[in-house]
Amino acid sequence: MYLYWIISYFIGTFLTAWWVGKWKKTDLRTIRSGNLGARNAGAVLGKSAFFVTFLGDALKGILVIYIGFYYNFSLTIIATGGLLVILGHLYPFWLKFKGGKGIATFIGVALVYNPMLFGILAAFFVVLLVMIRSATLSMLLAFLSYAFICWINPAFYSAWPLSVAIIVILVRHRHDLAESWHARWWKKQS
């Protein structure tokens, strides 16, 4: 179990954006947001870099969950592995703990860990996106609904480590969330 958790963190530290940037001879840490995630990779290097980075970061989350299922660990141990792969992505030791923001990795983890709970998250996101027309704010509310469901529905208690991951991800996105909130508020005032 402890080895699984250590491996989960180390898998998380494989930052696809860093490798895509190396391939394109670009240090994404020094351009635009400096974030080593799909959004910054796409903004700097184009759509293909976005998709490759998103896919690579999601796949490492998927891999960690499949490893946990393969070894028949309890759902809480597997969810903790999911939390640790996300923490590895956010805080890679070999890059002075400055990584990505964790959305793609969380999606990979959540999709495989519990497809029904992921479906609720996705449906909530789509409905909110149509209603408020802000991907960032829709993500915030959808993630909060996921965390809330983990705590109030006994069928999903084992996913509580993923609600911790959500809190950490939202803290990493605090500037984006504040920017979206202010932009939306100012738009209403105009």
Side-chain angles (χ1 to χ4, degrees):
M1 169 182 77
Y2 295 113
L3 182 59
Y4 169 61
W5 287 343
I6 292 166
I7 290 169
S8 297
Y9 171 80
F10 278 100
I11 290 172
T13 67
F14 179 89
L15 288 142
T16 311
W18 192 83
W19 294 102
V20 168
K22 278 282 192 199
W23 178 51
K24 296 280 191 175
K25 297 178 177 37
T26 304
D27 187 352
L28 292 170
R29 297 173 297 171
T30 62
I31 304 173
R32 291 184 53 107
S33 70
N35 176 44
L36 287 172
R39 188 173 178 183
N40 197 41
V44 174
L45 300 171
K47 287 181 183 176
S48 61
F50 171 85
F51 287 114
V52 168
T53 302
F54 187 91
L55 185 62
D57 290 346
L59 284 173
K60 66 187 176 186
I62 291 169
L63 175 64
V64 163
I65 301 304
Y66 272 130
I67 290 170
F69 284 136
Y70 179 81
Y71 286 102
N72 207 23
F73 292 130
S74 75
L75 289 175
T76 303
I77 290 172
I78 295 170
T80 304
L83 167 62
L84 289 166
V85 72
I86 292 164
L87 291 177
H89 178 80
L90 296 169
Y91 306 107
F93 70 94
W94 63 281
L95 289 172
K96 298 180 183 175
F97 301 97
K98 293 181 182 174
K101 291 187 179 175
I103 297 292
T105 306
F106 180 86
I107 287 172
V109 165
L111 177 64
V112 177
Y113 178 77
N114 189 315
M116 185 190 339
L117 189 53
F118 177 80
I120 293 168
L121 168 77
F124 208 73
F125 174 79
V126 170
V127 168
L128 287 166
L129 187 59
V130 169
M131 289 172 51
I132 62 177
R133 300 187 190 285
S134 167
T136 303
L137 294 177
S138 298
M139 177 209 65
L140 164 70
L141 295 171
F143 271 40
L144 288 174
S145 70
Y146 187 102
F148 185 67
I149 291 168
C150 289
W151 287 100
I152 65 161
N153 188 328
F156 301 121
Y157 281 163
S158 62
W160 70 263
L162 298 182
S163 66
V164 174
I166 286 171
I167 292 166
V168 178
I169 288 169
L170 293 178
V171 167
R172 290 279 286 142
H173 279 86
R174 66 191 177 279
H175 300 300
D176 299 329
L177 294 168
E179 187 178 297
S180 293
W181 184 263
H182 289 298
R184 186 158 181 75
W185 188 83
W186 283 110
K187 188 176 179 182
K188 283 186 178 181
Q189 301 304 313
S190 304

